[in-house]
Amino acid sequence: MECVFGLVGNGFAIVAADTSAVHSILVHKNNEDKIMVLDSHKLVAASGEPGDRVQFTEYVQKNVSLYQFRNGIPLTTSAAANFTRGELATALRKNPYSVNILMAGYDKEAGASLYYIDYIATLHKVDKGAFGYGSYFSLSTMDRHYRSDMTVEEAIELVDKCILEIRSRLVIAPPNFIIKIVDKNGARVHATRQSVQDVTTAAV
Amino acid sequence: MSIFEYNGSAVVAMVGKNCFAIASDRRLGVQLQTIATDFQRIFKIHDHLFIGLSGLATDVQTLYQRLVFRHKLYQLREERDMKPDTFASLVSAILYEKRFGPYLCQPVIAGLGEDNKPFICTMDSIGAKELAKDFVVSGTASESLYGACEAMYKPDMEAEELFETISQALLSSVDRDCLSGWGGHVYVVTPNEVKERILKGRMD
């Protein structure tokens, strides 16, 4: 089942998510990217109801870009996170979105940051965070090995530890993961961890 | 499990001689899982007025944002800060506005009024005020806080002794509650000074 987690290192933030699209007992695909590049220096890793996830993250992305277009300056990560929380909180008592979000970003002033926003719109700035069944393993793995001054290599090693822990201890572990990073050079895909390839044609 | 116990919380306020103290725990959890250990539940409205919000974290944040907004409007219109009892009535009214779909938090309001007379009060989630002249408690640890405060409180304490008392009451109470803890946040307010302290407790 869904595993989304992330951490902040020295001058960068990393988020990782599984890439499975699952409905009840069926796996529809193994390359669903659940981490959106919000703008040049922001990442949004989302889990939850698939429709809500796509709809809501796109809504946030377009509004953040509208703000930048109108005002000529981008929103800070903190501002984008607070906007997202506001939208979730308003929706909460009307027609709630079931999306949990980890928002990572890099700002000139504040440096790298990671925000935890759950579907009931609890916002909190964290060093490390996780959602879904994977959180039971990735949170404790990160509690044990995380340091705030980690280099990218060390952080990736930790992300791999988390993935390994999920793969070995979670019954319904997803096979593939995507890892994205944001630092002063922008937000981008860092790596993927695949143990199953997408089947294109049925075996004869 | 009650929605008030979803995130876990402990908030307490005590009256001293021309001073008051307000304290809370620092845990942000989702049921039994701890998300963060630096969550804020006590907020400054102005130098002599604080509010602690126990209960559902998302509503703590929403309600706090609304209260700041209303207090700013008041400051603009009246060109002065709000008195604690006025503020308590405002909170009560805002909560009762949502009588049939309440904000799921229980506020604790503490402030210094005219002639530096301390004022403390608590409320339920629909704004029924409960005034007290010694101490008020709320949150998942409220039962143990009642016991601890009942045993430790003395009338007319000076600021330093009040800090010691409220801290010991908080720390001993959260140790008997699974959902709150991970240190404490204490404000001691005297007419000329606000002292803010972070407590370390049983960090497990």
Side-chain angles (χ1 to χ4, degrees):
Chain A
M1 291 290 251
E2 291 205 303
C3 302
V4 175
F5 59 95
L7 58 102
V8 181
N10 187 12
F12 65 91
I14 283 181
V15 283
D18 71 284
T19 55
S20 301
V22 183
H23 274 110
S24 89
I25 58 158
L26 263 193
V27 181
H28 285 276
K29 63 196 286 234
N30 279 311
N31 57 356
E32 169 83 350
D33 189 355
K34 296 175 188 174
I35 311 177
M36 168 183 265
V37 177
L38 194 70
D39 68 8
S40 65
H41 286 79
K42 277 174 212 77
L43 288 170
V44 168
S47 70
E49 199 68 34
D52 284 356
R53 192 190 75 227
V54 174
Q55 190 72 25
F56 186 71
T57 51
E58 279 184 10
Y59 174 73
V60 172
Q61 185 188 42
K62 297 317 176 202
N63 274 282
V64 167
S65 114
L66 175 65
Y67 181 95
Q68 190 169 351
F69 187 60
R70 275 184 176 159
N71 302 296
I73 44 160
L75 285 175
T76 59
T77 314
S78 146
N82 276 282
F83 168 74
T84 310
R85 191 205 102 82
E87 292 302 316
L88 275 175
T90 327
L92 183 65
R93 308 228 180 232
K94 293 180 177 155
N95 195 349
Y97 293 102
S98 339
V99 239
N100 299 309
I101 287 172
L102 280 177
M103 188 180 283
Y106 184 91
D107 305 302
K108 271 210 180 75
E109 296 78 33
S113 52
L114 180 68
Y115 288 85
Y116 168 102
I117 311 165
D118 67 10
Y119 76 104
I120 47 174
T122 311
L123 170 71
H124 198 63
K125 189 170 183 283
V126 290
D127 287 330
K128 50 198 193 298
F131 283 113
Y133 282 113
S135 73
Y136 294 105
F137 308 105
S138 48
L139 277 182
S140 28
T141 309
M142 288 192 283
D143 276 340
R144 176 67 186 81
H145 298 286
Y146 175 82
R147 281 178 294 109
S148 55
D149 62 347
M150 288 178 123
T151 62
V152 177
E153 291 73 33
E154 289 172 316
I156 290 297
E157 202 181 311
L158 175 51
V159 167
D160 282 332
K161 277 198 177 88
C162 292
I163 294 176
L164 182 68
E165 198 64 29
I166 290 166
R167 280 185 181 154
S168 48
R169 288 289 175 186
L170 187 62
V171 192
I172 34 177
N176 298 346
F177 286 82
I178 187 164
I179 306 168
K180 293 195 188 182
I181 188 171
V182 55
D183 59 13
K184 62 179 191 309
N185 302 317
R188 61 198 178 273
V189 178
H190 185 273
T192 54
R193 296 286 181 263
Q194 295 191 308
S195 60
V196 164
Q197 297 299 317
D198 229 25
V199 182
T200 46
T201 46
V204 182
Chain B
M1 193 183 238
S2 157
I3 188 73
F4 289 99
E5 296 166 15
Y6 185 74
N7 297 116
S9 54
V11 182
V12 53
M14 274 185 188
V15 166
K17 195 174 186 186
N18 293 326
C19 62
F20 70 86
I22 182 165
S24 80
D25 72 322
R26 304 189 78 203
R27 180 178 179 270
L28 171 68
V30 171
Q31 300 197 12
L32 290 175
Q33 187 175 67
T34 302
I35 301 300
T37 57
D38 56 351
F39 192 66
Q40 199 179 353
R41 288 190 176 276
I42 298 178
F43 305 98
K44 186 166 96 169
I45 302 299
H46 59 73
D47 280 348
H48 287 164
L49 181 57
F50 286 74
I51 184 163
L53 296 163
S54 71
L56 195 68
T58 178
D59 284 348
V60 168
Q61 293 174 333
T62 309
L63 191 56
Y64 167 65
Q65 286 173 356
R66 278 199 68 184
L67 291 172
V68 168
F69 169 70
R70 291 294 292 269
H71 188 258
K72 280 184 177 164
L73 283 190
Y74 184 92
Q75 277 177 324
L76 286 171
R77 186 176 294 170
E78 305 280 331
E79 298 184 332
R80 62 190 163 92
D81 288 333
M82 218 180 252
K83 282 189 282 185
D85 52 337
T86 319
F87 183 71
S89 299
L90 172 73
V91 179
S92 172
I94 286 178
L95 286 171
Y96 196 76
E97 237 173 39
K98 298 262 186 283
R99 170 63 179 83
F100 296 109
Y103 290 114
L104 300 158
C105 30
Q106 298 171 317
V108 166
I109 295 158
L112 285 180
E114 282 165 350
D115 311 325
N116 298 317
K117 198 174 169 303
F119 170 93
I120 53 165
C121 137
T122 183
M123 248 167 254
D124 64 5
S125 57
I126 50 169
K129 273 187 278 189
E130 191 177 289
L131 296 121
K133 39 186 189 301
D134 42 9
F135 55 81
V136 287
V137 300
S138 86
T140 52
S142 64
E143 288 186 4
S144 37
L145 272 167
Y146 267 121
C149 293
E150 206 75 72
M152 295 175 189
Y153 180 82
K154 290 179 292 179
D156 293 326
M157 285 185 284
E158 295 294 335
E160 270 313 300
E161 194 185 356
L162 187 66
F163 163 72
E164 202 63 37
T165 311
I166 198 168
S167 304
Q168 292 297 340
L170 180 77
L171 290 179
S172 46
S173 303
V174 295
D175 284 354
R176 286 286 176 187
D177 178 29
C178 302
L179 300 177
S180 57
W182 282 96
H185 207 147
V186 185
Y187 292 85
V188 182
V189 182
T190 53
N192 335 310
E193 198 182 19
V194 177
K195 270 204 179 126
E196 179 188 359
R197 291 187 183 92
I198 305 283
L199 302 178
K200 282 184 183 168
R202 270 186 61 148
M203 306 300 268
D204 60 354

